[in-house]
Amino acid sequence: MTHDHRVAVIAGDGIGPEVIEAALGPIERAAAKHGVGLDLERLPYGADHYLATRETLPEPAFRHLRDDVDAILLGAIGDPRVPANEHARDILLGLRFKLDLYVNFRPVRLLHPDLTPLRGPLSGKDRRIDFVIFRENTEGVYLGRGRIAGTDYVAEEVNTAAGVERIIRAAFEWAKAHGKTRVTMSDKANAVPAHRIWQETFRRVAAEFSGIEAEHRYVDALAMELVREPERFQVIVTNNLFGDILSDLGAGLVGGLGLAASANLHPGRAGLFEPVHGSAPALAGKGIANPMAAVLTGALLFEQLGHPEAARDLERAVTETLAAGVRTPDIGGTATTADVAQAIGRAL
Ligand code: NAD
Ligand code: IPM
Ligand code: MN
């Protein structure tokens, strides 16, 4: 008996609705081709809804997402009319925190040689950039703890024993399951005393994974090395803020935010799947946003729902579309969002 996966769709703000609607074409096509039942439910949350109703993510909607769906697909949240981004705090960060989606899984892979801005010593053709970032997703400075003391704004960074251990463990377990031989942990323990917990935990967990090299890089040095020699990295595990920054850097190495996918996961629970990019207000409504990040996010969704063959097929279709030169302007083409989505659909 086939079971329909219930997928809630929050298209969100700016280019979010455009890339999600476009990406759903190839995603539904891949689902049909591989016999995957998808039962999509569109939810209205985002800036328009917030400005009209003052509701960000109401409690019943949160409970529905927690209890009744198998996955959430989200476009982007962020709008210049909501300058303090309070709706994103409740919707995007709120879902990550309250659903305890502690793994933010962000792959960085070069899908076509001409997409990297890097030159020599390797030519683009010889580059094999392929690593994943395990970004801690429920702690760090993102919790927003701290205080305003007079004119001073104090932010606290939370690094709990359980929180640090579970993300490091997730990185090693994924590395082991995928035949990877190196995990790189990044912190700033030389300046931030609290980051000692990352070093101690990393050493302890790494000892359980013989056969996987455990290396450490301070985040400043890692940023440099990622530009100089990205191919030596396989799995990077780091805190919430550093993971946010490194994942945009990673995206920049392989074609930019128009191609970067992510999954917010808690093994065994429904995940939240979203492109790494934001709402790109300047592009919104022009029909030229790149939908590939959203399509590749669909591949992560299929993978998590237990349909790796559909995931691989979507990735193949994107790679072929890139090779055929059907590209939006962010990656040097003249195609529209819809052209790209249609080409990916045809490649399926
Ligand atoms: P952004 O990702 O929206 O845009 C950064 C740059 O990348 C811009 O030049 C943009 O045009 C380009 N870009 C992004 N996605 C693209 C795509 N699919 N196709 C082509 N070009 C693309 O980041 P920002 O400008 O820093 O933020 C804009 C808003 O989005 C802010 O409100 C921010 O808080 C929010 N944001 C939301 C998310 C999310 O919902 N997951 C992620 C990042 C930023
Ligand atoms: C991301 C975004 C978010 C983050 C913002 C919009 C809160 O940049 O998903 O990478 O910092 O996590
Ligand atoms: Mn980000």
Side-chain angles (χ1 to χ4, degrees), residues 47 50-51 54 78-88:
Y50 172 60
L51 292 168
R54 290 289 141 188
D79 188 298
R81 294 168 299 165
V82 189
N85 217 20
E86 60 266 24
H87 69 313

Side-chain angles (χ1 to χ4, degrees), residues 15 19 74-80 82 85 87-88 92 96 106 244 248 257-259 274-283 288-293 328-330:
I15 61 168
V19 297
L74 184 143
I77 304 284
D79 188 298
V82 189
N85 217 20
H87 69 313
L92 180 64
R96 290 177 185 168
R106 297 188 153 184
D244 177 49
D248 275 29
L257 287 169
L259 289 164
E274 42 154 355
V276 173
H277 67 70
S279 56
L283 283 188
I288 53 166
N290 192 343
M292 286 175 164
T328 44
D330 55 302

Side-chain angles (χ1 to χ4, degrees), residues 8-84:
V9 179
I10 303 176
D13 305 333
I15 61 168
E18 300 166 42
V19 297
I20 291 296
E21 279 319 308
L24 281 173
I27 289 171
E28 292 201 271
R29 189 143 172 174
K33 179 173 166 185
H34 295 278
V36 180
L38 287 186
D39 178 6
L40 303 179
E41 176 193 12
R42 287 174 173 74
L43 300 176
Y45 305 108
D48 284 340
H49 183 83
Y50 172 60
L51 292 168
T53 64
R54 290 289 141 188
E55 251 176 18
T56 52
L57 181 67
E59 190 56 29
F62 167 74
R63 283 199 298 272
H64 173 58
L65 292 172
R66 184 191 59 196
D67 300 338
D68 312 327
V69 310
D70 300 309
I72 305 165
L73 177 64
L74 184 143
I77 304 284
D79 188 298
R81 294 168 299 165
V82 189

